[in-house]
Amino acid sequence: MLFRRIAAFALPMLLLSPAMAAIELTDNINLSGFGSTAISKTDNRTPLFISREITDEACYDCDTVFGLQLDVDIFDGFAASGQVVKRTQDKWSDPELEWAYLSYEHNEFEVRAGRLRLPLFLASEYYYVGQAYPWARPPQEVYDSILGFTSYDGLSLAWNYELSDGLQLTVSPYYGFERLNEVDLGNLKLEFDTEYMAGMYVDLVGFNYRVHSGYMQVKYTQRPFPVTEKLDIYTLGAEYSYESWLWMAEVEVDRIQANWYASMIYTFDDFSPYLTYAESHQSRKSKGVTAGVRYDATSTISLNLEYQMVFSSEEGNRGQFITSPLEYDESSDVDLVTLSINFVF
């Protein structure tokens, strides 16, 4: 069953590899794709979640993602991969090139150069592939903490070392060059002119568990309010499966904020009910509880029905909203209902 392989941590990486591609164009060129869409609605007029902006009007596009990926085996360890994604914040006519890189693999080492995925979190590599995680959307308390930025232009080096049978260690430093990123916060457009970003992640993967730790330092100038600063970001995540159970937890900390969540999932037949608790502190102050169920209709199609409650621990604080709910004369608490469908091909 698909979700059991997700719990064993094999599916997400296999899903994004040429071996899982549905369309073999030639012997060494493969095309694959993925997508998600949902009906989302809150009980609050204040837009909820960066890049999604869900309100009390039923939204049929706030969670819509569609992506295509092309993988090419060139020769003798050289390969290329490209991924174009219509993200939740994009128009269909203006998708984003999420990654496009050349790679070379030799023995235990792999070098990549080009546009790469930021490897800060457990689900970073497959963040846009809704079929690869249990929820309707990853917990936004953590995954929204860097304003939805998911890629960088630069270089990475990965050392993959087998510590023992069934236990693998990956150590990967990376460096990103100058790049301009934009994010919309309601009617406000923020620009982040990144001078550089440098970091490292460490993965420890066993038969039924995974521990992921990350560090990134970024220097940037923010506009239209011109502020130049250097920010250090630390992340730690773990997932563990036992029989029909899967537990996941992550934390993100920087000098501006601290965010974390813990989630448990139980799978029986084609159904996987789950419960998630999350908190945000410092610049964002909120607590959230999410209850949902995932149904695997086939090996490539799944549905989620989810109910989420977010409580602000300080009246008028932005929390998980785009702006303060006081601007809309609304409560600082919000309930969210989501019915989503995910697919891969």
Side-chain angles (χ1 to χ4, degrees), residues 147 149 178-183 189-197 218-231 255:
L147 299 180
F149 299 138
E178 183 176 2
R179 182 179 172 186
L180 179 65
N181 289 296
E182 297 179 342
V183 60
K189 181 181 289 291
L190 297 180
E191 292 185 349
F192 294 86
D193 189 354
T194 302
E195 183 177 324
Y196 73 86
M197 59 176 60
V218 55
K219 184 177 181 181
Y220 62 90
T221 299
Q222 177 184 318
R223 300 185 183 90
F225 315 109
V227 177
T228 299
E229 56 184 343
K230 188 182 294 183
L231 189 65
R255 64 175 177 78

Side-chain angles (χ1 to χ4, degrees), residues 157-232:
L157 172 66
W159 175 50
N160 301 298
Y161 182 71
E162 189 171 325
L163 296 173
S164 64
D165 290 342
L167 184 60
Q168 179 168 302
L169 173 70
T170 298
V171 180
S172 179
Y174 59 92
Y175 185 88
F177 302 109
E178 183 176 2
R179 182 179 172 186
L180 179 65
N181 289 296
E182 297 179 342
V183 60
D184 292 321
L185 291 179
N187 296 323
L188 178 64
K189 181 181 289 291
L190 297 180
E191 292 185 349
F192 294 86
D193 189 354
T194 302
E195 183 177 324
Y196 73 86
M197 59 176 60
M200 175 183 290
Y201 77 87
V202 178
D203 252 3
L204 186 65
V205 181
F207 173 72
N208 64 338
Y209 66 90
R210 176 187 173 205
V211 178
H212 178 90
S213 60
Y215 165 75
M216 183 177 74
Q217 181 182 93
V218 55
K219 184 177 181 181
Y220 62 90
T221 299
Q222 177 184 318
R223 300 185 183 90
F225 315 109
V227 177
T228 299
E229 56 184 343
K230 188 182 294 183
L231 189 65
D232 295 306

Side-chain angles (χ1 to χ4, degrees), residues 46-79:
T46 314
L48 182 69
F49 298 147
I50 295 171
S51 303
R52 299 176 190 268
E53 301 193 17
I54 306 169
T55 67
D56 58 350
E57 295 184 5
C59 183
Y60 299 88
D61 191 48
C62 296
D63 289 288
T64 298
V65 173
F66 181 77
L68 291 174
Q69 180 172 317
L70 190 69
D71 295 283
V72 182
D73 288 325
I74 302 174
F75 62 89
D76 295 336
F78 286 92

Side-chain angles (χ1 to χ4, degrees), residues 20 30 54 63 71 88-89 112-113 147 157 164 179 190 200 244-245 254 281 302 323 344:
M20 288 294 289
N30 295 279
I54 306 169
D63 289 288
D71 295 283
T88 56
Q89 65 265 45
R112 294 182 177 184
L147 299 180
L157 172 66
S164 64
R179 182 179 172 186
L190 297 180
M200 175 183 290
S244 296
W245 288 96
D254 57 59
H281 298 274
S302 64
T323 187
V344 294

